[in-house]
Amino acid sequence: MTDSNTTNFINPSTFILLGIPGLEVAHVWISIPFSAMYAVAVLGNFSILFIVKMELSLHVPMYYFLWMLAVSDLILSTSILPKMLSIFWFNSKEIDFSACLTQMFFIHCAAVTESGIFVAMAFDRYVAICDPLRHSTILTNPVVVKISLAVVLRGGMLILPFLFLARRWPYCRTNIIPHSYCEHMAVVKLACADIRVSSYYSLSVTFLVIALDVFCIAVSYIQILRAIFSLPTKDAQLKTFGTCGSHLFVILASYIPVLFSALMHRFGHNVAVHFHILMANAYLIVPATLHPIIYGVRTKQIRNRLLQLLTHKGM
């Protein structure tokens, strides 16, 4: 009798997500920090959305982009965590083929969109610090809308070919994905075909997005730092630097784990598979958890508004 997991098929009806191979006995324990991070990410990012929407003084480009970042974080974490936790808690490993591709799209699209949001935020800080008198005339609401649409459309247009290519491959080896979510290459590696097109395109998108966006952010912050160090007093320098400090923390919290994971995949051939998968989850989930905490702690307007809400509810 042929095993159902290795039966020849062109379009599988379902895939089987293994979670974290090699650590199945520890799935329940691993779920504790991940579920805690998800709770913090959901609560924190919804708080950001609520505060930015309700506080009229925050209706400026910087906080519009922060609002977009919070939405992207919610999409990214919600695309991964609920299914992963259902694997850990209920051994619910099956995922429909179309649902798998949908999850793949939202995960990768949100990740690319977030990178674009960081560029938009860096540009906003550049104009605010290097050309403050023209900030309101350069970054008008229509311009912010156009930038936002461009960021979202770029993410969708770059990731849609992932789905088209993944759907056309014949899957005749197995439908078992040794991962906790439908990561693009983890899925297409199951195809019994030459998948170099998918591999090269995925690598090209990763290089294009990270290299281009990091370059733009670096150029912006080089100009920002030059403007800060040209200020006459230390107090003025510290105060100005503080206005973009939150953004720098967010960039570091987002790109450093991605860089570490990329280097590990490139050079860490002897690293255990379960460690690779843990890192693949962490570099997507940890930033979504840290973003609202960083902005909540370092942004005075958000911190004060949140304290007002908590104090009012406590009365």
Side-chain angles (χ1 to χ4, degrees):
M1 183 175 180
T2 305
D3 192 297
S4 61
N5 288 333
T6 58
T7 300
N8 290 348
F9 46 85
I10 301 301
N11 291 311
S13 59
T14 60
F15 282 121
I16 307 296
L17 291 166
L18 293 184
I20 304 178
L23 293 179
E24 288 85 356
V25 295
H27 274 176
V28 174
W29 295 105
I30 295 170
S31 72
I32 295 173
F34 279 111
S35 57
M37 285 190 288
Y38 183 53
V40 172
V42 170
L43 181 61
N45 284 295
F46 269 119
S47 297
I48 295 288
L49 293 178
F50 177 77
I51 291 171
V52 172
K53 179 178 175 59
M54 299 302 297
E55 188 64 45
L56 294 179
S57 65
L58 300 182
H59 290 185
V60 293
M62 174 183 174
Y63 295 102
Y64 290 148
F65 294 137
L66 177 58
W67 195 90
M68 285 183 62
L69 183 64
V71 172
S72 182
D73 280 337
L74 286 170
I75 292 172
L76 188 58
S77 57
T78 302
S79 296
I80 298 172
L81 264 299
K83 180 58 183 177
M84 187 169 73
L85 292 177
S86 72
I87 295 171
F88 291 168
W89 291 342
F90 309 114
N91 203 34
S92 177
K93 297 181 177 182
E94 287 193 1
I95 183 169
D96 183 77
F97 180 70
S98 296
C100 185
L101 295 185
T102 302
Q103 185 191 51
M104 179 195 302
F105 174 78
F106 279 111
I107 290 170
H108 292 287
C109 183
V112 173
T113 299
E114 282 201 0
S115 188
I117 294 170
F118 294 145
V119 176
M121 295 173 80
F123 178 67
D124 171 70
R125 291 300 84 203
Y126 164 75
V127 177
I129 293 172
C130 298
D131 199 0
L133 297 179
R134 297 179 58 206
H135 182 263
S136 59
T137 58
I138 294 174
L139 282 169
T140 60
N141 285 342
V143 171
V144 171
V145 170
K146 290 176 183 178
I147 292 173
S148 302
L149 285 175
V151 166
V152 173
L153 287 174
R154 184 189 73 155
M157 290 173 65
L158 287 175
I159 300 305
L160 272 176
F162 282 24
L163 273 65
F164 295 142
L165 289 170
R167 184 175 286 276
R168 66 178 290 236
W169 299 130
Y171 296 91
C172 53
R173 292 176 179 165
T174 179
N175 63 344
I176 298 175
I177 303 174
H179 212 295
S180 57
Y181 61 85
C182 291
E183 194 270 335
H184 174 243
M185 288 308 300
V187 173
V188 299
K189 281 180 179 179
L190 304 182
C192 53
D194 186 350
I195 61 166
R196 281 181 293 181
V197 174
S198 286
S199 180
Y200 292 155
Y201 181 74
S202 176
L203 185 63
S204 300
V205 168
T206 302
F207 176 79
L208 174 68
V209 170
I210 293 179
L212 180 62
D213 290 358
V214 169
F215 174 77
C216 292
I217 292 169
V219 169
S220 296
Y221 270 92
I222 288 171
Q223 297 302 315
I224 289 170
L225 291 174
R226 288 178 60 186
I228 289 174
F229 290 132
S230 67
L231 294 174
T233 65
K234 285 283 186 181
D235 288 342
Q237 291 176 3
L238 290 173
K239 184 177 180 180
T240 307
F241 185 78
T243 62
C244 58
S246 300
H247 186 216
L248 278 175
F249 276 115
V250 166
I251 291 172
L252 291 174
S254 300
Y255 281 114
I256 288 177
V258 173
L259 180 61
F260 180 77
S261 181
L263 289 173
M264 187 179 66
H265 278 283
R266 177 65 181 84
F267 300 107
H269 301 298
N270 296 324
V271 177
V273 173
H274 62 262
F275 189 74
H276 279 284
I277 296 175
L278 282 171
M279 283 303 304
N281 283 284
Y283 88 76
L284 292 177
I285 297 164
V286 170
T289 305
L290 291 180
H291 292 167
I293 295 174
I294 292 170
Y295 276 109
V297 170
R298 294 197 49 89
T299 306
K300 184 178 179 181
Q301 296 94 322
I302 292 177
R303 185 173 66 248
N304 289 344
R305 180 61 172 166
L306 183 59
L307 289 173
Q308 288 175 7
L309 290 172
L310 294 174
T311 303
H312 178 72
K313 288 182 177 180
M315 293 177 63

